[in-house]
Amino acid sequence: MTAEAVRISSNDCSLAGTFTEAADSVAAALLIPGSGKVNRDSDVRLPGGPMLRAGVTRAVADALTEARVSTLRYDKRGVGGSGGDFLRSGMGDGLADAQAALAWLADRAAGLPLLVIGHSEGAWYAARLAADDQVAGAVLLSAAARPGADVLAWQAEQLATRLPLPVALLLRVMRTDVHRLQRRNLERITASDSAELRLQGQRVNALWTRDFIAHDPVPDLARITVPLLAVTGGADLQVPPGDVDAIGRLVHGPFEGHVPADLSHLFRPDPRSLGPKGYRRAVRQPVSAHVLDLVGGWVERHWGTG
């Protein structure tokens, strides 16, 4: 196994990535990270400077290397070693970058079956690549099977009931309705044509948010005929775990779906359903070995990694 720092050209943007060549490779997989300012490993810098080392794509890449699958993963635009401006990049840019990365991998791993594995937002790009018959198989980790606007509404319902008691009391005293505040912010974003806005004192990627609200993954999922694995944690508060079944009903190829109980969006145990407010403590644990085994086993069954 050898790991190599690489550069990928995507239109006018240069992306930084890591290509890991497995010994006696039987396939090559592109790993696409999730939403937010995350790097190739799914890590993100939090306000104030500390890193939240989610490590989802890194852990999957390591597991695939053991399964004799070479991998490519990359930093998103404006993150890590990649060029571009994160706050002015939309989902169109994200898809173009995934397509460019897949083309790079196809050239580097010529002759091998190509797989695509996306986490969260990255799963939507993976679904498009699979729908366009650009890969031999796809894995969707923490994926939604409904429009972005519906995902946001579902998230708001889940998280509003899980606010810490002091926060809930403070909001009540201040007469702050979380749902109304979210609607007001989304109305400002959708009414604007600016790439970025400032809301509650923070710069927000308005272009990406508009794209996310409008995006519906259902048509892409319904065009997929290649083998597909979908895994979402049963305690995920960012995408509905029940959407795994919806994905299975939509796709037309061999399908395998799993909803491991008590696992969060980052595939760590979350028995108390804390969601994002518990991530900093949760990532002290590794990504679930069960989830990594599901991915490795699926690859082995379809491509005979042995």
Side-chain angles (χ1 to χ4, degrees), residues 41-58:
D41 296 336
S42 303
D43 300 342
V44 60
R45 190 167 298 283
L46 299 174
M51 288 290 288
L52 180 72
R53 300 196 181 279
V56 175
T57 41
R58 173 64 180 268

Side-chain angles (χ1 to χ4, degrees), residues 35 38 42-44 46 51-56 119-120 142 154-155 158-159 162 232-233 235-239 262-286:
S35 59
V38 297
S42 303
D43 300 342
V44 60
L46 299 174
M51 288 290 288
L52 180 72
R53 300 196 181 279
V56 175
H119 176 241
S120 192
S142 305
W154 184 88
Q155 287 178 359
Q158 304 306 307
L159 299 176
R162 292 169 170 83
T232 297
D236 197 321
L237 298 182
Q238 290 181 246
V239 299
D262 291 340
L263 293 186
S264 71
H265 193 68
L266 303 183
F267 296 115
R268 267 72 167 201
D270 188 11
R272 296 170 56 197
S273 296
L274 295 176
K277 71 179 182 180
Y279 284 171
R280 292 183 67 172
R281 180 179 295 274
V283 297
R284 297 174 187 173
Q285 303 181 63

Side-chain angles (χ1 to χ4, degrees), residues 204-274:
V204 174
N205 186 327
L207 171 59
W208 181 89
T209 304
R210 288 193 296 272
D211 289 346
F212 180 85
I213 291 170
H215 183 73
D216 184 356
V218 168
D220 288 336
L221 293 167
R223 292 192 296 119
I224 295 176
T225 59
V226 298
L228 187 140
L229 169 68
V231 185
T232 297
D236 197 321
L237 298 182
Q238 290 181 246
V239 299
D243 279 13
V244 167
D245 289 338
I247 293 170
R249 292 191 296 270
L250 287 165
V251 300
H252 295 284
F255 174 75
E256 184 177 327
H258 298 272
V259 183
D262 291 340
L263 293 186
S264 71
H265 193 68
L266 303 183
F267 296 115
R268 267 72 167 201
D270 188 11
R272 296 170 56 197
S273 296
L274 295 176

Side-chain angles (χ1 to χ4, degrees), residues 107-178:
D107 182 64
R108 182 63 178 265
L112 291 176
L114 294 180
L115 312 177
V116 63
I117 301 174
H119 176 241
S120 192
E121 177 194 352
W124 280 357
Y125 304 138
R128 173 65 62 84
L129 296 176
D132 289 346
D133 295 323
Q134 297 187 52
V135 295
V139 178
L140 309 183
L141 301 174
S142 305
R146 62 186 72 190
D150 294 346
V151 173
L152 290 177
W154 184 88
Q155 287 178 359
E157 290 295 332
Q158 304 306 307
L159 299 176
T161 61
R162 292 169 170 83
L163 291 172
L165 181 59
V167 174
L169 291 174
L170 179 62
L171 291 174
R172 191 177 305 166
V173 169
M174 297 176 65
R175 298 182 180 179
T176 300
D177 185 321
V178 174

